[in-house]
Amino acid sequence: MRKLIAGNWKMNGLIADAEALAHEVRTQYGDHQPFDMLVAPSATALAPVASRLAGSQIGLAGQDCHAAPSGAHTGDISADMLKDVGCSHVIVGHSERRADHGETDEQISAKAAAVTKAGLIAIVCIGETEEQRNGGQTLAVCRQQLTGSLPDGASADNVIVAYEPVWAIGTGRTPSTYDVEEVHADIRQTLRDIVDDADSVRLLYGGSVKPGNAGELLTIENVDGALVGGASLNAADFMAIGQAATANG
Ligand code: PGA
């Protein structure tokens, strides 16, 4: 499976910053790389970044969406609106949204369903907190989040799963190779009960992925790419992650 390196820019950068970063990413990616790439800018930068990436192979993602197609939901964005601005993917259920906005698996599943209904690909995020890991609950938590957050009709064509241990996000800490391998194998196994083409669903690892650890993290079995936060704000680091991930494969 081709690796996917996805950059989550979170709430960073004004339009000019996002345009400059998109331009650099596009220039460095060029036309041919052995891995796929996408970026998820802030909502206000989506349109300008879409024009910078037009005609390239780099995908564009929203960082969240509302479950409804339209209506009285002040401040929210629908999946159709994200499609309209040029998105191919939408991240749903990021742990920062679960924590900051109290999003539940049910809400995330409804958002993911809205994404797939709009014809886009949902990047569904799951992951345990440090307390849950220390309590030996990692696999149970991930299974529950996964089964609860996937949309009806999920398939390899419309869903990507991102495993992001909450304690590894933005901390510089990562799980051991063994731990990542164990969780990703379990996610794959859980998917087999839910999705017909489970073996083709892309599973991303996220949480402090950097150029220095990407080679190791992204060659673990069942790791089909990365969801990158901090390091995606630097085009050279972001590209180096893709290159490290594919250096031997
Ligand atoms: P990080 O963020 O790479 O800065 O740890 C990852 C994420 O939240 O997707």
Side-chain angles (χ1 to χ4, degrees), residues 135-147:
Q137 298 169 287
T138 298
L139 297 183
V141 166
C142 290
R143 268 180 220 154
Q144 190 180 342
Q145 289 185 355
L146 180 64
T147 51

Side-chain angles (χ1 to χ4, degrees), residues 8 10 94 96 164 168-171 206-210 227-231:
N8 177 7
K10 306 191 179 182
H94 190 281
E96 286 151 15
E164 299 202 299
I169 295 176
T171 59
S208 295
V209 178
K210 313 278 179 215
L227 183 52
V228 186

Side-chain angles (χ1 to χ4, degrees), residues 178-193:
Y178 174 84
D179 288 340
V180 173
E181 191 174 334
E182 181 184 42
V183 176
H184 277 242
D186 202 71
I187 292 171
R188 184 76 73 200
Q189 190 54 41
T190 305
L191 280 173
R192 288 191 183 118
D193 293 335

